[in-house]
C-alpha cells in the first residue's frame, strides 16, 4: 500500500496559492491598478504552479499505480478513481459557468469560444467554460495515455515515443493539439522522478540537486510561458531529494496537509470567485493591497469549504455507488487527482 507523500501535498498547496496569486494579479491590473511593477512580475510567475501540478501528477500516478496492472480489476478501478476525482468536483462549477455564459452571451468570458462538449467531457479539443479547465484536458489525456502504456507493458518505450512526438511536432508548429502540447513533457518528467525515487541504488545529493537549480535559474533568466518546461524539469530533479528527505524524517509538511487536500477545490473555485470579488472591490474603491489579500483569503477559504463540504463527501459517495468502498486507498496526487 502506498503512503501519502506529505511533502507533495505541501507542494500542491503552494502551487494552488501561486495560481490564485497569478490570476488575482491579472484581475487587479485590469480593474484597480496601482500594484508595483516588481510585485506584478513576481506574482505573474504564479502560473508556474500549473507546471508543478503536472510534474506532481506524473510522479504520483506512476508511484501509485506502477505495480497495479497485475491486478485483474486494475483498469476498472483506475478509470473509476480518475473519473470520480476529476469530474465529481469539477462538473458543478464547470456546468455552472456554462449556464452563466449561456444566459449572458455578451459577457467577456462567454467570448472565449467555449463549448458544451469540452465543458462536459474535458475532451482534448475545444475550450471548456471554466477557463482553468484547460489543464484538466491535459490531465485526462495523460491518464488515458498512461493507462494504455502501463496496461500494455510498454511504459518506457511508449513514454519515449510520446516525448519524441511532442518535440518533433513543436519544431514545426506553435499550436499543436493537446496530446502533443509541449507542456505534456512535464508529466513524463514526473514519471522519471518517481522511478528514480523508487530506485534505492540512485543516491541523491549535490550532483543530483544541481541540475534542478540550474534549470530553474535558467528559466527565470531567459524563460517565458512557452519555455516553462525548463522550470518543470528543474522541479522534477528536486522532487527526488525532497521526498527522500521526508522518508528519512528530515522534513515535516504536516501543517500544509489540509490545504494540499483542498488544492483542487481551490483551483476550481478561485477564478469565478475572483471575477465576482474584483468587481466588488472596484465598486467600493478598495486599493490593490487589501484587494489582493482579500482575493487570496477568499479563494483559500472558499476552496477549503468546497473541499470539506462538497468535494470529499461527494467523492466518497460516488465511489461507494461504484462499489469502490474497498478499493485500495490512493495517494493524493498532483493538482487534480488522488
Amino acid at each position: 500500500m502506498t503512503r501519502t507523500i506529505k511533502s507533495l501535498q505541501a507542494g500542491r498547496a503552494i502551487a494552488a496559492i501561486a495560481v490564485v496569486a497569478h490570476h488575482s494579479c491579472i484581475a487587479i491590473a485590469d480593474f484597480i491598478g496601482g500594484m508595483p511593477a516588481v510585485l506584478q512580475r513576481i506574482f505573474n510567475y504564479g502560473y508556474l504552479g500549473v507546471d508543478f501540478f503536472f510534474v506532481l501528477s506524473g510522479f504520483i500516478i506512476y508511484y501509485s499505480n506502477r505495480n497495479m496492472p497485475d491486478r485483474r480489476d486494475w483498469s476498472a478501478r483506475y478509470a473509476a478513481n480518475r473519473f470520480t476525482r476529476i469530474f465529481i468536483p469539477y462538473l458543478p462549477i464547470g456546468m455552472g459557468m456554462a449556464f452563466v455564459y449561456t444566459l449572458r452571451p455578451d459577457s467577456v468570458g462567454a467570448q472565449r469560444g467555449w463549448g458544451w462538449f469540452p465543458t462536459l467531457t474535458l475532451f482534448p479539443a475545444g475550450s471548456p467554460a471554466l477557463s482553468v479547465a484547460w489543464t484538466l484536458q491535459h490531465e485526462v489525456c495523460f491518464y488515458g495515455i498512461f493507462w494504455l502504456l502501463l496496461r500494455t507493458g510498454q511504459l518506457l518505450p511508449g513514454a519515449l515515443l510520446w516525448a519524441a512526438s511532442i518535440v518533433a511536432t513543436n519544431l514545426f508548429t506553435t499550436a499543436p493539439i493537446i496530446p502533443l502540447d509541449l507542456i505534456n513533457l512535464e508529466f513524463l518528467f514526473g514519471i522519471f522522478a518517481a522511478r528514480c525515487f523508487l530506485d534505492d541504488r540512485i543516491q541523491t545529493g549535490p550532483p543530483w540537486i544541481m541540475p534542478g537549480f540550474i534549470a530553474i535559474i535558467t528559466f527565470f533568466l531567459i524563460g517565458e510561458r512557452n519555455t516553462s518546461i525548463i522550470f518543470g524539469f528543474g522541479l522534477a530533479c528536486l522532487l527526488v531529494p525532497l521526498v527522500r528527505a521526508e522518508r528519512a524524517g528530515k522534513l515535516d509538511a504536516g501543517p500544509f496537509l489540509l490545504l494540499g487536500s483542498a488544492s483542487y477545490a481551490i483551483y476550481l473555485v478561485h477564478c469565478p470567485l475572483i471575477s465576482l470579488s474584483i468587481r466588488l472591490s472596484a465598486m467600493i474603491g478598495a486599493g490593490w493591497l487589501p484587494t489582493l489579500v482579500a482575493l487570496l483569503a477568499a479563494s483559500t477559504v472558499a476552496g477549503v469549504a468546497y473541499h470539506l463540504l462538497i468535494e470529499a463527501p461527494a467523492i466518497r459517495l460516488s465511489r461507494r455507488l461504484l462499489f469502490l468502498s474497498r478499493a485500495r486507498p490512493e495517494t493524493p496526487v498532483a493538482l487534480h487527482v488522488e
Side-chain angles (χ1 to χ4, degrees):
M1 180 180 295
T2 52
R3 295 179 296 124
T4 296
I5 302 177
K6 296 180 180 179
S7 55
L8 300 191
Q9 282 289 75
R12 296 175 73 201
I14 295 170
I17 300 303
V19 174
V20 174
H22 168 69
H23 288 131
S24 297
C25 177
I26 294 174
I28 289 171
D30 289 343
F31 286 86
I32 295 176
M35 181 180 290
V38 64
L39 288 180
Q40 273 191 307
R41 183 169 179 80
I42 292 172
F43 282 118
N44 183 57
Y45 278 116
Y47 66 74
L48 293 172
V50 169
D51 299 88
F52 197 8
F53 286 141
F54 282 6
V55 173
L56 292 183
S57 285
F59 188 106
I60 300 297
I61 286 294
Y62 178 79
Y63 176 77
S64 300
N65 293 278
R66 64 194 184 280
N67 297 322
M68 298 311 293
D70 294 337
R71 289 180 50 166
R72 187 170 61 180
D73 62 346
W74 173 73
S75 290
R77 292 191 182 279
Y78 175 82
N81 276 303
R82 299 282 65 77
F83 174 84
T84 54
R85 190 65 188 94
I86 287 288
F87 283 93
I88 296 300
Y90 157 73
L91 281 175
I93 299 174
M95 291 179 63
M97 294 303 299
F99 283 120
V100 168
Y101 291 156
T102 299
L103 296 174
R104 294 289 306 275
D106 58 334
S107 63
V108 175
Q111 304 303 314
R112 290 187 302 104
W114 68 279
W116 274 102
F117 182 71
T119 295
L120 295 175
T121 65
L122 296 176
F123 188 78
S127 297
L130 182 64
S131 59
V132 297
W134 69 270
T135 63
L136 305 185
Q137 293 177 294
H138 285 269
E139 290 275 359
V140 169
C141 177
F142 166 62
Y143 297 154
I145 293 175
F146 179 85
W147 172 85
L148 178 63
L149 298 181
L150 201 61
R151 180 80 274 179
T152 58
Q154 301 298 319
L155 180 62
L156 182 57
L160 292 175
L161 178 60
W162 187 22
S165 301
I166 291 171
V167 172
T169 300
N170 281 269
L171 289 176
F172 300 102
T173 177
T174 57
I177 60 175
I178 284 177
L180 296 177
D181 195 299
L182 201 61
I183 201 171
N184 292 324
L185 290 176
E186 293 176 336
F187 295 118
L188 303 179
F189 296 158
I191 291 175
F192 165 75
R195 287 177 65 93
C196 292
F197 165 66
L198 292 164
D199 190 342
D200 291 329
R201 296 171 298 177
I202 297 176
Q203 300 300 313
T204 60
W208 179 273
I209 296 173
M210 193 58 66
F213 281 124
I214 291 175
I216 290 173
I217 292 171
T218 299
F219 168 77
F220 280 110
L221 289 176
I222 66 172
E224 297 295 342
R225 186 67 187 100
N226 60 351
T227 57
S228 63
I229 59 167
I230 299 173
F231 182 82
F233 174 76
L235 288 175
C237 291
L238 296 178
L239 278 184
V240 181
L242 179 69
V243 292
R244 287 273 177 88
E246 179 183 336
R247 172 189 277 182
K250 300 177 181 179
L251 187 65
D252 180 17
F256 291 92
L257 289 183
L258 176 58
L259 286 182
S261 297
S263 59
Y264 183 33
I266 294 171
Y267 187 78
L268 290 174
V269 305
H270 82 276
C271 273
L273 186 61
I274 287 174
S275 180
L276 293 173
S277 301
I278 195 66
R279 288 168 170 80
L280 177 60
S281 292
M283 287 175 56
I284 64 176
W288 69 267
L289 182 56
T291 298
L292 176 63
V293 172
L295 293 179
L296 291 173
S299 296
T300 302
V301 171
V304 170
Y306 186 76
H307 166 69
L308 294 175
L309 301 176
I310 299 176
E311 177 187 27
I315 289 176
R316 287 195 296 268
L317 176 60
S318 65
R319 289 181 177 177
R320 290 195 189 99
L321 295 176
L322 290 170
F323 306 103
L324 292 177
S325 58
R326 296 183 181 179
R328 177 182 61 88
E330 292 192 59
T331 303
V333 303
L335 163 65
H336 327 298
V337 286
E338 58 183 26

